[in-house]
Amino acid sequence: MRENQTDLSYHIKLKRKQNQLTQPELALKAGVGLRFVRDLEQGKKTLRMDKVNDVLKLFGEELGPVALDREKLLNDE
């Protein structure tokens, strides 16, 4: 995984390829722009969650909270 790529960006790209979709096809099916799909797959830090969910819906998924080790987070400061 590239340095700026996130788990989400990797996941989206993997799902797109598993479903044999090009970036333009994914953008069209999800109702988002091609630029948004490219930004998403490149791990852009600031993206609209509603648009991310529009893409994830195609794969039967959506964003949600993920539990983290709070103690570890507090001690890493």
Side-chain angles (χ1 to χ4, degrees), residues 51-77:
K51 286 187 171 189
V52 173
N53 274 329
D54 288 342
V55 173
L56 287 170
K57 265 186 220 171
L58 292 175
F59 310 122
E61 301 170 338
E62 68 180 10
L63 290 174
V66 176
L68 300 174
D69 184 346
R70 189 167 183 263
E71 288 299 317
K72 183 178 184 300
L73 292 172
L74 293 174
N75 292 327
D76 283 348
E77 292 179 355

Side-chain angles (χ1 to χ4, degrees), residues 5 8-18 41:
Q5 202 172 29
L8 178 62
S9 63
Y10 178 78
H11 179 76
I12 295 291
K13 188 173 188 174
L14 182 65
K15 287 292 200 174
R16 176 178 63 78
K17 289 184 175 198
Q18 286 175 342
E41 287 191 3

Side-chain angles (χ1 to χ4, degrees), residues 4-6 9 38-47:
N4 66 336
Q5 202 172 29
T6 63
S9 63
R38 288 182 176 156
D39 286 347
L40 177 57
E41 287 191 3
Q42 290 174 3
K44 184 176 178 186
K45 300 276 187 214
T46 55
L47 294 168

